[in-house]
Amino acid sequence: MRLRYLISILILTGVAIPMGGCGFFRYAVIPQSNKGPHGGAMVLIDERVSRYVEFVAMPQGEEWLLQLYAYNGKMKPRDFSSYARVDITTNSDEKVSVKLWDTKRFFLPWSRVGHLEAKVKLGDVSQFKAKASLFKSKRNFSPDELYFEYPY
């Protein structure tokens, strides 16, 4: 009799915890109307630890400089834990993909906070849509997907 109750409790626990635990991993990505400190588009990733992400695109002739900055809830800069991939779609349906890497060279406690950046050849483009896949670690299979448009 006791063994039957124990088995029932274990089965219910094995089903209830994974199904209920999935609710803890849900979060919202909220676009912000205000521009960020560098003049780019901002989104709020509302997780257990909220953070803001700013997307900046600067034309430099044929090449464009793409940058991602991260801020905590009090708008103080913070580090990214990994890299990002940005998929750009122009108005002429041309698609370009680029990985953004951390600019922080040394991971020492007193070194400055880094951001992600890369250069990409887009040519003379006046507007585009960008999907930034923000990876939390090098083996992350479910990145945060952030959507931006240029001009902001």
Side-chain angles (χ1 to χ4, degrees):
M1 187 77 154
R2 289 184 185 179
L3 184 61
R4 185 173 141 202
Y5 287 126
L6 181 62
I7 291 173
S8 297
I9 290 172
L10 287 175
I11 290 172
L12 287 174
T13 304
V15 170
I17 288 178
M19 289 183 72
C22 292
F24 294 117
F25 297 113
R26 294 188 189 124
Y27 60 91
V29 176
I30 306 165
Q32 302 294 300
S33 58
N34 297 336
K35 291 187 178 182
H38 296 94
M42 294 274 291
V43 295
L44 169 65
I45 301 175
D46 192 19
E47 286 184 298
R48 287 171 271 137
V49 178
S50 295
R51 66 178 179 212
Y52 291 91
V53 176
E54 178 185 14
F55 174 75
V56 179
M58 293 183 285
Q60 299 176 337
E62 288 285 317
E63 288 188 331
W64 287 64
L65 179 65
L66 304 178
Q67 298 174 325
L68 283 176
Y69 294 92
Y71 305 98
N72 64 10
K74 297 179 181 178
M75 292 303 293
K76 291 191 178 180
R78 63 181 276 199
D79 279 322
F80 284 98
S81 57
S82 188
Y83 67 96
R85 186 183 72 238
V86 176
D87 300 319
I88 296 173
T89 306
T90 62
N91 284 348
S92 60
D93 289 334
E94 183 181 331
K95 296 185 180 187
V96 179
S97 182
V98 64
K99 283 188 180 179
L100 277 65
W101 297 99
D102 199 350
T103 59
K104 187 174 179 179
R105 304 234 189 259
F106 303 105
F107 294 99
L108 300 172
W110 57 83
S111 61
R112 64 178 177 81
V113 175
H115 62 277
L116 303 179
E117 79 175 23
K119 290 186 177 184
V120 63
K121 287 192 175 190
L122 288 178
D124 189 24
V125 176
S126 60
Q127 58 185 3
F128 60 83
K129 293 182 181 181
K131 180 182 94 171
S133 301
L134 188 61
F135 295 90
K136 295 177 186 165
S137 67
K138 292 182 180 177
R139 294 185 180 169
N140 189 4
F141 298 112
S142 61
D144 295 329
E145 290 185 352
L146 312 173
Y147 296 93
F148 300 101
E149 290 185 16
Y150 182 86
Y152 320 116

